[in-house]
Amino acid sequence: DTGVSQNPRHKITKRGQNVTFRCDPISEHNRLYWYRQTLGQGPEFLTYFQNEAQLEKSRLLSDRFSAERPKGSFSTLEIQRTEQGDSAMYLCASSPATNEKLFFGSGTQLSVL
Amino acid sequence: KNEVEQSPQNLTAQEGEFITINCSYSVGISALHWLQQHPGGGIVSLFMLSSGKKKHGRLIATINIQEKHSSLHITASHPRDSAVYICAVRDRGGGGADGLTFGKGTHLIIQP
């Protein structure tokens, strides 16, 4: 068990560029969650998957955001036409089932210049 | 949508003190999580509970479902306990988001 892995750890991009983040959950966990956290705030829910199915998306997830989990294993979160307001820590977590403990990755810190 | 409030927002205490962090929420839940976040972003899940009390080492978490309130206690606090402690709740059924609603966190500093 290597834990939840997120790549990259840091991403600096210019406004208008597209970025993609990757999350590798713990292998036997079928639930995968994406959260966003800005400085001084608690994380905010973005979306979650059960296996390859995306079951819920927050209203925070605008049309510029898309998430996939094509084979029910790793997941990607893409932000198109980044804006300065997208600067945040993007956190991924996995769990074996609903109402089970969550295991978090170290996050990807995005800075949009 | 659940509203999650934590108190205090900031807490500085001396090593050895008994620490209590509170969390209240507005809507019935199926589960409540206590999380610990260290500088740099890493989050560790401390407890997940839906009733009663759980204990792990020097940490104790309690929840009162009727009062919509939970507390996290740290006994014999130590400087390595310094972190942000976050409460998060999962709403009870109803087809809403399965994702958690988080409090803003309590920033704890334990001084030697």
Side-chain angles (χ1 to χ4, degrees):
Chain A
D1 176 4
T2 58
V4 178
S5 176
Q6 288 189 248
N7 289 288
R9 289 294 309 274
H10 304 274
K11 178 71 177 178
I12 300 173
T13 191
K14 291 183 179 177
R15 189 162 46 99
Q17 298 293 306
N18 300 343
V19 294
T20 300
F21 311 140
R22 176 176 169 129
C23 172
D24 288 88
I26 293 172
S27 58
E28 63 269 25
H29 287 184
N30 58 29
R31 290 205 165 220
L32 185 149
Y33 303 83
W34 285 101
Y35 299 96
R36 181 173 70 184
Q37 186 178 25
T38 53
L39 199 62
Q41 302 295 315
E44 296 172 298
F45 168 72
L46 293 179
T47 188
Y48 87 96
F49 294 82
Q50 181 165 317
N51 299 312
E52 67 275 11
Q54 187 174 18
L55 296 186
E56 190 71 32
K57 290 169 61 172
S58 163
R59 281 189 290 269
L60 292 174
L61 218 64
S62 75
D63 291 345
R64 297 184 297 104
F65 288 70
S66 62
E68 293 183 341
R69 194 183 182 195
K71 297 181 181 178
S73 57
F74 73 91
S75 176
T76 58
L77 177 68
E78 181 183 15
I79 309 174
Q80 295 181 328
R81 304 181 304 281
T82 52
E83 301 173 356
Q84 286 184 326
D86 298 330
S87 296
M89 173 75 81
Y90 289 83
L91 294 162
C92 175
S94 69
S95 72
T98 305
N99 286 347
E100 295 279 347
K101 260 176 105 168
L102 290 173
F103 293 81
F104 283 82
S106 298
T108 294
Q109 181 67 54
L110 173 66
S111 297
V112 181
L113 304 179
Chain B
K1 186 182 187 299
N2 227 322
E3 300 289 333
V4 179
E5 297 286 338
Q6 285 187 237
S7 63
Q9 288 188 347
N10 297 284
L11 178 58
T12 300
Q14 295 298 120
E15 183 174 357
E17 286 188 38
F18 181 82
I19 303 298
T20 296
I21 299 170
N22 297 299
C23 174
S24 61
Y25 51 91
S26 58
V27 177
I29 62 170
S30 61
L32 182 144
H33 296 251
W34 279 104
L35 310 167
Q36 180 191 56
Q37 185 170 32
H38 282 284
I43 294 179
V44 173
S45 179
L46 299 174
F47 296 103
M48 194 280 295
L49 64 166
S50 54
S51 65
K53 176 179 172 178
K54 286 191 176 181
K55 184 175 189 295
H56 182 71
R58 295 180 295 105
L59 301 178
I60 303 166
T62 64
I63 188 168
N64 185 317
I65 297 295
Q66 286 73 31
E67 294 186 3
K68 297 185 176 64
H69 180 269
S70 175
S71 293
L72 176 69
H73 305 285
I74 305 174
T75 61
S77 58
H78 190 276
R80 65 175 174 266
D81 297 325
S82 299
V84 177
Y85 292 84
I86 302 171
C87 168
V89 301
R90 175 170 282 116
D91 290 348
R92 202 169 37 213
D98 192 69
L100 298 174
T101 302
F102 293 79
K104 292 186 177 180
T106 294
H107 189 190
L108 175 66
I109 297 173
I110 304 296
Q111 294 178 335

